């Protein structure tokens, strides 16, 4: 009990609360600017944490990450440009709602679902962190391979229009993921003797090009749109921020619960994180929905699932980071470095040697998620500046941030050229109605897929049956095969049902 009280005192003091507030404002700004990710926001904080105590430093990182993930939804609703990778999964629905004059309604629901997911993830982190981390450690390369395939198969469900075009878009992403050194032979692939490409293509410049730069090019290609203020955002936004939230939660409370649960479970798997949690949650939501045809047209159901999952995924990623010192995502990889810098060793002993600090961290999670509500509310109202700012002024500013965001990842112009090439490619593909979301998913999961496949093959001496010999691996493999074969099975079942119905009708005559 004394440790819990000490944890409260570590968080509820003027200095830590001020740090949390400033971190929330910083997270809103970075998340809402297209091209700047939550990981970048946390990375920019690290030099400042040198001058903070351990609790304030970790609280600042927690708050910045949570706020940036939510704020990434703001440009998605107003500009069809996801501010962060986690927002890309449902940007189509959010932008369609914005064009219907329902941006505030969409963002208000996003905000509350993000808070629900974050609080649910925090409770799970407190109650079952050791057991969840232990489960995640049972995953070998075989399980991670199937998890990557499961994520890639969701591209069939998240892409709008032709499944063939969605598949081809996915292949483009997987092709981009092959750039760099081969992990087995060390041979450079598609690097064209450019040293910066040896490490592969970074995800952030590609996302900026596919979404932000593509949107800028589409705007300037349309003379009609460029003459209006803020493009389609000149449409008056109706309603209040939280007016429709109770109705949506009453209708989709199961989706919020499912998204939060999936977010925590996927986030707890090292390397997965909030981005993959949002993609998979959205795909499962569409698969389980009674109205899957509405997804991508401005439907709230998938938004509830995915926005609950991404903030829950942030909390879930802390499970392996705190309990075993294994980073759950890029943000917690930075956190582990900060903890070591502060003289704290992540692992099981952190709960024994620094129990008051652990309690303080849990309390900081609660405070960070709750402060999302007032700061997020102000951000949603302030974000309407996107709607009243002339496109001729807004788009060059966004383009500048895109260039800065692409360059700042590795401080190299190569990433800027990658962003430009991807933007042009995405614009050409979009004119032929090719979806860009599967390409992003292919790039995110391509490296995970290849690495774990080759590792597994080497361990099994080429025996493919080894992918089905472990219980968890076999379960995931069976799930993937079921998803792949489901359309065929469904078609055969419907055909057989129609034939039996016809026979019954003929028998009746």
């Amino acid at each position: 009990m004394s440790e819990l009280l000490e944890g409260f005192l570590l968080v509820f003091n003027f200095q830590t609360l001020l740090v949390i507030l400033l971190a929330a404002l910083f997270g809103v700004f970075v998340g809402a600017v297209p091209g700047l990710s939550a990981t970048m926001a946390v990375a920019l904080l690290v030099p400042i944490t040198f001058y903070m105590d351990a609790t304030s430093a970790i609280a600042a990182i927690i708050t910045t990450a949570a706020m940036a993930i939510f704020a990434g939804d703001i440009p998605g609703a107003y500009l069809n440009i996801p501010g962060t990778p986690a927002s890309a999964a449902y940007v189509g629905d959010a932008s369609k709602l914005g064009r219907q004059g329902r941006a505030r309604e969409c963002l208000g629901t996003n905000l509350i679902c993000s808070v629900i997911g974050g609080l649910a993830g925090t409770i799970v982190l407190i109650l079952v962190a050791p057991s969840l981390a232990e489960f995640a450690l049972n995953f070998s390369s075989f399980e991670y391979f199937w998890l990557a395939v499961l994520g890639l198969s969701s591209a069939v469900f998240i892409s709008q229009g032709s499944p063939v075009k969605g598949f081809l878009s996915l292949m483009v992403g997987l092709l981009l993921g092959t750039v760099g050194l081969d992990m087995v032979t060390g041979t450079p692939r598609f690097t064209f003797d450019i040293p910066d490409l040896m490490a592969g293509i970074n995800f952030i410049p590609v996302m900026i090009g596919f979404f932000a730069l593509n949107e800028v090019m589409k705007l300037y290609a349309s003379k009609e749109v460029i003459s209006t203020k803020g493009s389609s955002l000149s449409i008056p936004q109706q309603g209040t921020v939280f007016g429709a939230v109770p109705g949506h939660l009453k209708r989709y409370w199961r989706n919020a619960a499912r998204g939060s649960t999936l977010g925590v479970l996927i986030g707890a798997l090292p390397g997965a994180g909030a981005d993959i949690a949002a993609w998979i949650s959205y795909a499962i939501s569409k698969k389980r929905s009674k109205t899957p045809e509405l997804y991508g047209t401005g439907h709230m159901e998938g938004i509830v699932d995915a926005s609950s999952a991404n903030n829950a995924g942030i909390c879930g990623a802390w499970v392996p980071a705190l309990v075993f010192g294994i980073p759950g995502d890029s943000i917690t990889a930075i956190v582990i470095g900060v903890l070591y810098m502060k003289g704290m060793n992540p692992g099981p002993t952190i709960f024994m040697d620094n129990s008051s600090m652990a309690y303080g961290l849990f309390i900081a999670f609660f405070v960070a998620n709750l402060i999302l509500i007032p700061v997020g509310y102000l951000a949603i109202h302030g974000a309407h500046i996107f709607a009243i700012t002339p496109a001729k002024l807004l788009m060059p500013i966004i383009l500048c941030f895109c260039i800065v965001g692409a360059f700042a990842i590795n401080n190299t112009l190569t990433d800027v050229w990658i962003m430009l090439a991807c933007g042009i490619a995405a614009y050409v593909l979009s004119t032929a109605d090719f979806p860009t979301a599967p390409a992003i998913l292919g790039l995110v999961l391509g490296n995970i897929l290849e690495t774990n496949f080759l590792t597994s093959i080497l361990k099994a001496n080429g025996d493919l049956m080894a992918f089905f010999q472990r219980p968890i691996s076999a379960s995931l493999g069976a799930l993937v095969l079921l998803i792949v074969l489901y359309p065929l099975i469904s078609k055969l079942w419907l055909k057989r049902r129609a034939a039996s119905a016809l026979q019954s009708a003929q028998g009746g005559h």
Side-chain angles (χ1 to χ4, degrees), residues 141 204 325 371 430:
S141 58
I204 299 297
I371 205 173
S430 66

Side-chain angles (χ1 to χ4, degrees), residues 38-39 65 69 84-87 89-90 136 139 144 147-148 151 203 259-282 305-321 326-333 441 444-445 448:
T39 305
I69 291 291
T84 60
S87 307
Y90 47 93
F139 275 56
Y144 278 113
L147 190 66
F203 169 75
S260 300
T261 305
L262 278 171
V264 174
L265 291 173
I266 294 169
L269 301 173
D275 306 345
I276 295 174
W279 285 104
I280 292 179
S281 184
Y282 185 85
D305 269 276
S307 57
S308 301
N310 53 24
N311 270 50
I314 294 175
C315 299
W318 284 72
V319 174
I326 300 171
D329 59 4
S330 54
I331 292 172
T332 48
L441 194 63
V444 171
L445 294 177
I448 298 172

Side-chain angles (χ1 to χ4, degrees), residues 375-461:
V375 177
Y377 177 82
L378 294 174
I380 292 169
H381 274 284
H384 197 62
I385 191 171
F386 288 131
I388 61 174
T389 305
K392 287 184 179 180
L393 177 64
L394 184 61
M395 287 301 167
I397 294 171
I398 290 174
L399 185 59
C400 288
F401 275 117
C402 290
I403 294 170
V404 170
F407 179 80
I409 299 297
N410 296 311
N411 293 327
T412 172
L413 280 173
T414 303
D415 285 337
V416 178
W417 287 111
I418 290 171
M419 177 202 70
L420 179 63
C422 289
I424 295 170
Y427 174 73
V428 172
L429 289 172
S430 66
T431 57
D433 294 326
F434 277 83
T436 53
I440 293 293
L441 194 63
L443 179 60
V444 171
L445 294 177
N447 188 48
I448 298 172
L449 180 79
E450 182 188 15
T451 301
N452 288 292
F453 177 74
L454 292 175
T455 303
S456 300
I457 284 292
L458 287 172
K459 285 195 290 190
N461 290 323

Side-chain angles (χ1 to χ4, degrees), residues 26-34 36-38 41 67-69 71-75 82-84:
F26 174 67
V28 165
F29 172 75
V30 174
V33 174
L36 305 184
S37 65
M67 202 72 227
I69 291 291
D73 299 335
I74 294 173
T84 60

